Amino acid sequence: MPIHNRFADLHSEITGWRRHLHTIPELNFDLPKTAAFVEQRLREIGVDALETGVAQTGMVAVIKGKSDTSGRVIGLRADMDALPIHEIADVDYKSTHAGAMHACGHDGHTAMLLGAAKYLVETRNFDGTAVLFFQPAEEGGGGGKVMVDEGVMERYNVDEVYGLHNMPGGAAGSFAIRKGGLMAATDLVEIKITGKGGHGAMPHSAIDPNITAAHILLALQSITSRNVDPLQSAVLSICMMSNDSAAFNVIPQTVNLCGTVRTLSPEVRDLVEARLIKLVSSTADAFECAVEINYERGYPVTVNHDAQTDFAVDVACAIAGVGNVDPDTAPMMAGEDFSYMLEARPGAYIFLGNGENGAMVHHPEYVFNDDIIPAGCSWLAGMVEARMPAA
Ligand SMILES: [Zn+2]
Ligand SMILES: [Zn+2]
């Protein structure tokens, strides 16, 4: 692959960018050093337009192809934020920010998208426009949603959008993807049950919220076992239970339950939420308790579009070989805010193997494998060339 050869030449420069970013991990939307570094590189590379201050510290770079008879626009996205983890990985470019670490490899994603930018500006071997999104706050802040809400898809007339994530456990430089739900929706539920406190020896004069909570807890188990299609996936875990009784002979006034709901399709997500609300409110009602339910939707399901997944697989196969691309990998119950971009535009999200050994992402010993940089850059740039072939 000619693309791959060029990235072999650029490999050490991009590795240097990645390792520099690794030394200055920053959190959420607060990425002043990271954003300044990315902006400097993009200006040196000579992108055709650059909008900074998108979603606070994010930015959008525009690269025009040799021609634009297609009128098409392909979006590529990298996340730039780190995690509040104290690094213990044995590397000589350690984090210099106490308590922060690039433990999810977003330094690698950012450096690879910068590498793709450099190649695309040099070659411009496509008919249309490439738009590069560098986003903050993937790890919980929903920076991808903020960029979408700020109108980047409309402002840049984006037709399709693509992104990647490194994945420890996968062979270095291999690819894995699936059509439909790749990563889970991550929702939070809080339930406050209020009865009437009283003496433990005189329950008939109280309304015991413990009994109501127990029935609710069991009733909720019927959602995954009786309502969700057995061939679909859902998790509903009530993880926290507390009440306001501090004595063996006092029936409490209130019980609080708190848990997480994980689902892999919008339909199952809607079903679980609706059944949860019905079961909790009607069970509480049956036992004459008042109930407040706070169901907070987190990141939506990361849903790959069918045709765009096929395009992503074709480009991955050209880079890594058919045997190193899994087009039907198992989904994960973790969440990802690229999901908001995939709700806004057709596109696909792909995993890039980080090597079979080594720590998982979000672990203090995690190390991004710099050997996978040429493959990742090739896929990003390759999506632009494949979806807008030179006229
Ligand atoms: Zn992460
Ligand atoms: Zn990540």
Side-chain angles (χ1 to χ4, degrees):
M1 281 292 292
I3 291 188
H4 213 262
N5 292 346
R6 180 60 187 135
F7 283 119
D9 294 343
L10 295 172
H11 194 172
S12 65
E13 184 179 18
I14 300 167
T15 300
W17 296 342
R18 204 284 293 178
R19 294 184 176 194
H20 175 73
L21 289 167
H22 193 84
T23 64
I24 54 162
E26 297 172 301
L27 306 180
N28 294 315
F29 290 96
D30 189 21
L31 315 177
K33 292 183 193 171
T34 305
F37 180 83
V38 171
E39 182 181 347
Q40 265 178 2
R41 298 289 81 71
L42 290 169
R43 295 207 187 278
E44 276 170 18
I45 286 165
V47 295
D48 298 305
L50 182 62
E51 180 185 359
T52 58
V54 183
Q56 301 179 42
T57 44
M59 65 200 83
V60 183
V62 177
I63 302 169
K64 292 177 181 152
K66 274 181 186 145
S67 56
D68 187 21
T69 55
S70 77
R72 284 172 51 75
V73 179
I74 296 298
L76 303 173
R77 170 273 204 171
D79 40 15
M80 302 191 288
D81 59 320
L83 285 158
I85 291 176
H86 176 75
E87 178 164 36
I88 57 171
D90 184 22
V91 294
D92 56 11
Y93 48 86
K94 258 192 177 20
S95 165
T96 60
H97 293 176
M101 174 191 176
H102 268 296
C104 206
H106 299 183
D107 48 347
H109 306 163
T110 303
M112 290 190 288
L113 189 55
L114 286 171
K118 180 155 179 154
Y119 167 88
L120 290 169
V121 168
E122 274 179 9
T123 53
R124 298 183 186 274
N125 194 28
F126 56 98
D127 178 43
T129 305
V131 170
L132 281 47
F133 300 118
F134 293 87
Q135 78 149 76
E138 191 286 321
E139 300 285 2
K145 177 179 188 340
V146 177
M147 289 186 94
V148 170
D149 288 347
E150 287 185 7
V152 296
M153 297 298 168
E154 295 78 14
R155 191 148 72 249
Y156 293 94
N157 297 308
V158 175
D159 291 305
E160 296 172 14
V161 66
Y162 296 92
L164 63 74
H165 204 294
N166 79 94
M167 194 48 66
S174 66
F175 291 88
I177 193 170
R178 68 180 286 112
K179 290 179 181 174
L182 179 69
M183 299 182 78
T186 55
D187 300 344
L188 172 136
V189 60
E190 294 170 308
I191 301 163
K192 183 180 180 186
I193 303 155
T194 303
K196 185 176 148 203
H199 198 300
M202 291 176 266
H204 58 290
S205 62
I207 299 173
D208 188 348
N210 281 336
I211 299 302
T212 310
H215 280 274
I216 285 175
L217 203 57
L218 288 175
L220 290 178
Q221 306 311 308
S222 70
I223 300 175
T224 49
S225 68
R226 302 291 90 176
N227 299 133
V228 175
D229 180 335
L231 299 179
Q232 302 278 332
S233 301
V235 178
L236 195 174
S237 293
I238 298 297
C239 302
M240 298 163 73
M241 273 184 95
S242 63
N243 68 28
D244 60 358
S245 173
F248 83 105
N249 56 358
V250 172
I251 292 170
Q253 192 82 7
T254 60
V255 176
N256 290 296
L257 307 177
C258 184
T260 185
V261 175
R262 307 276 170 130
T263 48
L264 282 170
S265 81
E267 295 76 22
V268 174
R269 188 188 205 188
D270 290 344
L271 171 73
V272 173
E273 181 181 354
R275 288 296 299 151
L276 183 146
I277 288 168
K278 179 98 191 258
L279 281 172
V280 171
S281 48
S282 55
T283 305
D285 186 51
F287 288 95
E288 300 183 315
C289 280
V291 69
E292 290 166 47
I293 305 166
N294 175 34
Y295 191 99
E296 261 175 45
R297 289 197 165 207
Y299 294 170
V301 183
T302 302
V303 181
N304 278 331
H305 297 246
D306 286 357
Q308 283 69 28
T309 303
D310 285 336
F311 305 144
V313 166
D314 290 346
V315 170
C317 287
I319 295 161
V322 179
N324 295 309
V325 178
D326 179 357
D328 192 24
T329 195
M332 294 180 64
M333 289 319 242
E336 162 61 57
D337 83 346
F338 189 64
S339 50
Y340 292 103
M341 296 195 176
L342 289 176
E343 282 188 339
R345 291 293 184 272
Y349 195 62
I350 200 165
F351 294 136
L352 172 61
N354 193 56
E356 275 139 314
N357 303 313
M360 184 39 79
V361 289
H362 293 213
H363 189 278
E365 286 179 298
Y366 165 80
V367 179
F368 180 84
N369 182 354
D370 289 314
D371 292 347
I372 70 175
I373 285 174
C377 291
S378 298
W379 183 81
L380 290 162
M383 289 314 301
V384 169
E385 293 186 350
R387 296 302 295 135
M388 301 182 291

